[in-house]
Amino acid sequence: MAWTLTLAVCTLAAVALAAPFHNDDGLRVELSVVDGLLNRSTDGRIILMFAPAGIDPLDDYDVTSSPDQIFGKNAFKLQSPEAVTLSGGSNFSTDLGVWGWPNVSMNDLPAQSYSVQAFLTRYETQMRSDGSTVSVRFPCGDGAPSIDGPGSLKTSITNVTVTGGSQTIELAFDNITAGQDFNGSEIGGCHQGNYEDTTYLKYVKIRSEKLSRFWGRDMFVGANVVLPHGYNTNDTAKRYPVIYSQGHWPGDGGAFRYSRDEAFASAWNEGVVNANSSESRPTPKLILVTFRHETPFYDDSYAVNNANMGPWGDAINEELIPYIDQTFNTIAQPYARIQEGGSTGGWDSAANLIFRPDLFGACFSSYPDSLDFHRHQAIPLYTAENAYQLANGSIINSIRTFENDTEVILASTAQENHWELTFGTSSRSFLQWDVWQTVFGVQGYNNYPLEAWDKVTGEIYPGAVEYWKHMDLAHYITSNWDGEKNLGENLRNRIFVYVGERDDYFLNGGVHEFDSRVTAKGGPGWANFTYIAQNGHGGNYQDREIWDYLELLSGWIEDHSPEGATPLPRGVTVPSARGNYWEEVLAYGGREAAVARQASPVIYQHEKPRKHDTSALKASVGRWDPGMSLEAVWLLDSKPSCQPFAVMPEQTVTYERKHRWSRHAKLQLAVTGRKRGYETETRKSEFVWI
Ligand SMILES: *[C@@H]1O[C@H](CO)[C@@H](O)[C@H](O)[C@H]1NC(C)=O
Ligand SMILES: *[C@@H]1O[C@H](CO)[C@@H](O)[C@H](O)[C@H]1NC(C)=O
Ligand SMILES: *[C@@H]1O[C@H](CO)[C@@H](O)[C@H](O)[C@H]1NC(C)=O
Ligand SMILES: *[C@@H]1O[C@H](CO)[C@@H](O)[C@H](O)[C@H]1NC(C)=O
Ligand SMILES: *[C@@H]1O[C@H](CO)[C@@H](O)[C@H](O)[C@H]1NC(C)=O
Ligand SMILES: *[C@@H]1O[C@H](CO)[C@@H](O)[C@H](O)[C@H]1NC(C)=O
Ligand SMILES: *[C@@H]1O[C@H](CO)[C@@H](O)[C@H](O)[C@H]1NC(C)=O
Ligand SMILES: *[C@@H]1O[C@H](CO)[C@@H](O)[C@H](O)[C@H]1NC(C)=O
Ligand SMILES: *[C@@H]1O[C@H](CO)[C@@H](O)[C@H](O)[C@H]1NC(C)=O
Ligand SMILES: *[C@@H]1O[C@H](CO)[C@@H](O)[C@H](O)[C@H]1NC(C)=O
Ligand SMILES: *[C@@H]1O[C@H](CO)[C@@H](O)[C@H](O)[C@H]1NC(C)=O
């Protein structure tokens, strides 16, 4: 035989890996680290940006408008004064080579003058309590940016003219982005530092026991608490309802942009709306809370327990909210706790009521991220084969606007996913589509989120999508309608959802799907939906003016208080209604579940083979994660007996015996699995005599 298994695998691997490095004729960028900048080696993500000459590459790197060309490459054990070379780039080099946007390969970079800068997002490798190990960036009270966060290495901006021919550019990392300079009473070091309290805006932060246990390091969660006019710490008899306002990293801003909107803040502080008009009225007396809960994957944890980010739902609801109730004069009862928010915060707020009917009274969820994955943005996730294109060839779009009543597409789902991939592989870009893989999906066998589709091609993996169902809120509600959780009764009249039919991110689709499923079960009015035809993404619930909205929330609380017109029945806030338990979430999607999903190839043979048996032998290729592409080969006495052949997961393959059974050779099935983000792995069956 002219080749061996080892050789066959090596040959394939070499072809796959060699492509990006065969670029002697193209553009090469050699990146070094100046002496003394790094005192130990680091892993991370290199992001190399070419902006038009004279423009700061960081000015605009948004997918819809950026003039930049961006290239990313993972770095392993980078150290001063070593150099890393970036060149080429292809669909197959996302893990070890270059991947770029909008040009995948550096060789396609148009010849012209650029303003060039490179960054290194540093990763730390951390083993989590379930035995999974990931290499990620831990944010630092900075809102988890995709690039140039505190601690990142950077080069200075350099003017370069790209010639289009063979060319080498040398750049040096010579600076580290400074950390946030918190001047408040900071606890926990470089992690969600605290700001300085003002009269009505208080910053709290606690070390989460549960998150720290999962991550194997100190993890903190914070809140910005806006107190109402007239609040007196000492008057503990006077207590206030709390509006939990969910959404992206607020920095030092209070809920509803308290510290960013002067008119709002001054009315709030003075306790009077329209102070100088005949319509002047008191501000609603509420405590407004927003959370600081950035994670190693995003600026917002989605405020639920999930196997990739950890027990954030518990950290907020079981640790931080009790701390808030202890520290401030709140009414610590479900009817006096409202969940609200828009977009990401729309999903967070809905999920928190739906998973915790025992804790909150109602949710007012505006233009939420998909509540029902029959439409994940515009992707029909359960039926489509590709996340970027429908079967009839139609492109699936991601971002739009309307001009003069005409829809204008700003980015397709493919474009946005490809752009994200420059900032991080294995869902580590800190961007939107990646965090959905993280929070809705489970852990992959590679320890990173089990992505529902291939980030480059868009091919959907139904086996991975199946795991999203526990975060599909319509599926969760309808499958717990009766029974122990009894959500059909317990959630009735407590869910309020608003969306504009011109939502910039097509999120109206998921609301309609959710509406149709819960309404089919509960009848019209089971939950309250508002659709406004001309509206896009943004604004308060039902597009209300801020004071109208807060008065609506205040009115709901008053009506549902024990003294109100329609008190919230005790029976609907029972502990049995609760879901999203951390232990269940981890058992469903953590390391043990990922390992249990795997199986080695097995050859089936009669227990006692008969002499002179010529019947074919059957074998299973084993179980692998969704999306693995598999290749099998039969080994005779450890040597390949054939060319490797492609197989499907869980396929049964057959070995045709050339000889009668005579115990003359040992037969094994070897299967090699490959997938983006996974190390190539070969698994062998036990041998059987043939
Ligand atoms: C490495 O540098 C950092 C920051 O400059 C410093 O805090 C740390 O102590 C240094 N570590 C070693 C091993 O020198
Ligand atoms: C780089 O180019 C910009 C505009 O093209 C120019 O203003 C600037 O002076 C140049 N910088 C250097 C260091 O040459
Ligand atoms: C590379 O990017 C430029 C500018 O975005 C574009 O015009 C060009 O078509 C791209 N080339 C390839 C091969 O994709
Ligand atoms: C490093 O960057 C900081 C800003 O983050 C800047 O103030 C400083 O001058 C830079 N140092 C060098 C050597 O370029
Ligand atoms: C604290 O930091 C804030 C914002 O960074 C700044 O406005 C304020 O002046 C600082 N306070 C002190 C005492 O340095
Ligand atoms: C609350 O009580 C503390 C200690 O008794 C006192 O120092 C403080 O002034 C009081 N605050 C108000 C607003 O009455
Ligand atoms: C209301 O009137 C007072 C006194 O005339 C003035 O100082 C204040 O700016 C006015 N406020 C608004 C919101 O117009
Ligand atoms: C493809 O199907 C979608 C959904 O049914 C439809 O909206 C679209 O117009 C179709 N596109 C083409 C090119 O037929
Ligand atoms: C929209 O209408 C305005 C005013 O008629 C016009 O100036 C503008 O060009 C139109 N925009 C588009 C995209 O048609
Ligand atoms: C890379 O993948 C994209 C998305 O599937 C595809 O459109 C493109 O043709 C591929 N390019 C190459 C060179 O295979
Ligand atoms: C839905 O809720 C809004 C806000 O509370 C209310 O104005 C509206 O009447 C409700 N709709 C229905 C059908 O109950």
Side-chain angles (χ1 to χ4, degrees):
M1 236 170 287
W3 46 275
T4 66
L5 175 71
T6 341
L7 184 60
V9 169
C10 291
T11 306
L12 287 166
V15 170
L17 298 184
F21 304 120
H22 282 178
N23 291 295
D24 300 339
D25 298 335
L27 176 66
R28 296 159 55 89
V29 173
E30 283 180 8
L31 271 165
S32 59
V33 182
V34 299
D35 237 357
L37 194 67
L38 279 183
N39 51 13
R40 63 192 167 96
S41 72
T42 185
D43 293 345
R45 180 73 177 173
I46 292 168
I47 300 159
L48 171 64
M49 304 172 102
F50 291 78
I55 291 179
D56 182 338
L58 287 183
D59 273 359
D60 178 4
Y61 55 89
D62 188 83
V63 62
T64 62
S65 51
S66 177
D68 296 358
Q69 301 265 349
I70 310 171
F71 299 94
K73 182 179 178 175
N74 289 328
F76 302 95
K77 302 223 170 353
L78 187 66
Q79 206 163 3
S80 309
E82 238 168 68
V84 178
T85 301
L86 279 78
S87 65
S90 84
N91 284 356
F92 307 103
S93 65
T94 53
D95 290 335
L96 300 176
V98 167
W99 166 266
W101 176 91
N103 292 153
V104 170
S105 168
M106 287 170 58
N107 293 335
D108 294 326
L109 187 64
Q112 64 175 71
S113 294
Y114 293 99
S115 172
V116 183
Q117 191 171 22
F119 299 87
L120 175 75
T121 299
R122 286 201 268 177
Y123 292 153
E124 292 167 64
T125 300
Q126 188 71 40
M127 200 219 265
R128 300 180 292 201
S129 68
D130 67 341
S132 56
T133 299
V134 290
S135 191
V136 290
R137 173 174 188 269
F138 285 88
C140 190
D142 50 47
S146 295
I147 187 168
D148 197 29
S152 299
L153 305 194
K154 57 183 176 184
T155 69
S156 40
I157 299 177
T158 308
N159 290 346
V160 164
T161 298
V162 169
T163 59
S166 174
Q167 183 179 8
T168 299
I169 299 169
E170 289 176 11
L171 300 174
F173 287 120
D174 61 359
N175 205 347
I176 294 185
T177 301
Q180 300 269 54
D181 202 6
F182 293 104
N183 54 18
S185 53
E186 188 177 345
I187 54 168
C190 184
H191 198 109
Q192 302 195 357
N194 253 341
Y195 307 91
E196 230 173 57
D197 285 351
T198 68
T199 311
Y200 291 112
L201 179 52
K202 310 294 178 192
Y203 299 99
V204 300
K205 185 171 74 171
I206 59 165
R207 178 182 180 278
S208 161
E209 294 298 326
K210 288 199 176 205
L211 285 170
S212 302
R213 201 174 314 135
F214 177 63
W215 279 100
R217 56 192 283 158
D218 290 343
M219 298 289 286
F220 295 82
V221 58
N224 301 355
V225 180
V226 181
L227 302 172
H229 176 80
Y231 181 91
N232 178 353
T233 310
N234 297 342
D235 184 1
T236 54
K238 176 140 188 56
R239 311 197 71 87
Y240 301 88
V242 187
I243 309 302
Y244 288 103
S245 181
Q246 300 277 7
H248 294 287
W249 178 254
D252 64 357
F256 302 100
R257 308 248 150 205
Y258 169 82
S259 68
R260 308 257 157 83
D261 178 342
E262 240 172 75
F264 177 74
S266 81
W268 185 268
N269 292 349
E270 278 152 37
V272 190
V273 185
N274 295 330
N276 293 347
S277 108
S278 58
E279 286 166 33
S280 107
R281 58 196 197 270
T283 50
K285 295 297 177 279
L286 302 163
I287 294 176
L288 311 177
V289 174
T290 191
F291 300 112
R292 279 175 285 142
H293 52 132
E294 59 180 355
T295 82
F297 288 92
Y298 203 53
D299 79 337
D300 175 307
S301 71
Y302 278 68
V304 293
N305 297 331
N306 75 82
N308 288 303
M309 290 198 273
W312 287 94
D314 287 356
I316 292 171
N317 295 330
E318 300 287 292
E319 299 179 305
L320 185 56
I321 288 182
Y323 178 81
I324 289 171
D325 285 333
Q326 249 173 48
T327 310
F328 301 97
N329 301 331
T330 62
I331 301 171
Q333 296 200 44
Y335 83 86
R337 290 193 190 110
I338 298 286
Q339 282 280 344
E340 83 87 46
S343 198
T344 290
W347 193 92
D348 297 10
S349 57
N352 268 276
L353 176 76
I354 291 164
F355 289 146
R356 298 303 305 265
D358 60 322
L359 210 55
F360 302 103
C363 71
F364 289 78
S365 163
S366 297
Y367 38 91
D369 291 4
S370 184
L371 299 179
D372 179 324
F373 302 142
H374 286 87
R375 280 286 180 288
H376 177 42
Q377 281 207 173
I379 306 169
L381 192 61
Y382 294 131
T383 51
E385 286 174 8
N386 191 288
Y388 303 158
Q389 207 166 13
L390 295 174
N392 65 8
S394 268
I395 298 293
I396 301 178
N397 289 311
S398 182
I399 309 177
R400 66 178 169 182
T401 186
F402 283 81
E403 281 179 31
N404 302 343
D405 284 340
T406 304
E407 185 184 70
V408 179
I409 299 300
L410 301 180
S412 69
T413 305
Q415 284 168 331
E416 197 179 2
N417 273 272
H418 291 165
W419 168 76
E420 286 190 1
L421 190 52
T422 61
F423 297 98
T425 58
S426 297
S427 302
R428 288 176 296 183
S429 68
F430 289 105
L431 292 165
Q432 187 62 77
W433 290 95
D434 275 353
V435 74
W436 283 329
Q437 305 282 2
T438 307
V439 69
F440 299 149
V442 294
Q443 285 180 20
Y445 186 55
N446 67 347
N447 298 304
Y448 294 95
L450 180 67
E451 296 174 349
W453 59 84
D454 182 272
K455 192 102 178 152
V456 172
T457 65
E459 180 188 353
I460 288 178
Y461 307 128
V465 170
E466 190 61 29
Y467 283 105
W468 282 38
K469 284 194 174 156
H470 73 148
M471 291 288 178
D472 177 319
L473 297 176
H475 180 266
Y476 174 79
I477 290 173
T478 54
S479 53
N480 289 291
W481 192 260
D482 307 307
E484 203 196 348
K485 297 199 202 305
N486 201 23
L487 297 183
E489 256 336 290
N490 291 336
L491 289 175
R492 180 188 298 279
N493 295 332
R494 297 169 71 183
I495 298 175
F496 296 80
V497 185
Y498 153 68
V499 73
E501 297 289 18
R502 290 182 169 182
D503 189 272
D504 301 45
Y505 308 102
F506 300 87
L507 294 171
N508 47 326
V511 173
H512 282 286
E513 296 287 347
F514 178 87
D515 182 348
S516 72
R517 278 176 187 80
V518 299
T519 302
K521 277 280 211 183
W526 181 86
N528 179 317
F529 297 93
T530 305
Y531 302 96
I532 300 184
Q534 302 301 308
N535 282 12
H537 195 81
N540 296 315
Y541 172 74
Q542 292 183 328
D543 207 14
R544 282 168 188 254
E545 186 268 332
I546 183 63
W547 300 112
D548 288 345
Y549 178 37
L550 290 176
E551 280 159 13
L552 174 76
L553 298 181
S554 193
W556 191 96
I557 293 163
E558 222 171 282
D559 288 347
H560 292 80
S561 75
E563 298 76 37
T566 52
L568 191 64
R570 277 183 185 281
V572 304
T573 59
V574 288
S576 58
R578 189 182 161 178
N580 186 237
Y581 283 96
W582 173 235
E583 294 70 23
E584 283 174 18
V585 165
L586 202 61
Y588 177 82
R591 184 65 190 158
E592 261 182 52
V595 171
R597 234 174 14 240
Q598 315 300 313
S600 292
V602 177
I603 301 178
Y604 305 114
Q605 168 157 287
H606 308 295
E607 245 168 58
K608 287 196 177 130
R610 286 149 296 151
K611 228 173 182 178
H612 308 308
D613 188 353
T614 54
S615 65
L617 283 168
K618 291 196 185 310
S620 132
V621 301
R623 290 196 312 270
W624 300 74
D625 263 1
M628 297 295 293
S629 77
L630 303 178
E631 199 176 63
V633 65
W634 291 103
L635 306 182
L636 275 178
D637 291 332
S638 303
K639 297 204 182 68
S641 71
C642 59
Q643 295 281 348
F645 50 98
V647 292
M648 300 296 289
E650 298 195 53
Q651 188 180 332
T652 299
V653 294
T654 305
Y655 181 76
E656 302 291 347
R657 286 183 228 227
K658 296 183 191 70
H659 305 278
R660 287 156 190 259
W661 183 79
S662 62
R663 207 184 260 279
H664 84 282
K666 291 188 209 171
L667 179 75
Q668 276 172 296
L669 182 68
V671 180
T672 297
R674 294 185 179 78
K675 185 180 172 180
R676 199 182 304 286
Y678 282 60
E679 275 177 35
T680 296
E681 183 191 358
T682 298
R683 300 179 190 164
K684 292 177 187 168
S685 71
E686 300 283 319
F687 69 78
V688 301
W689 284 104
I690 59 165

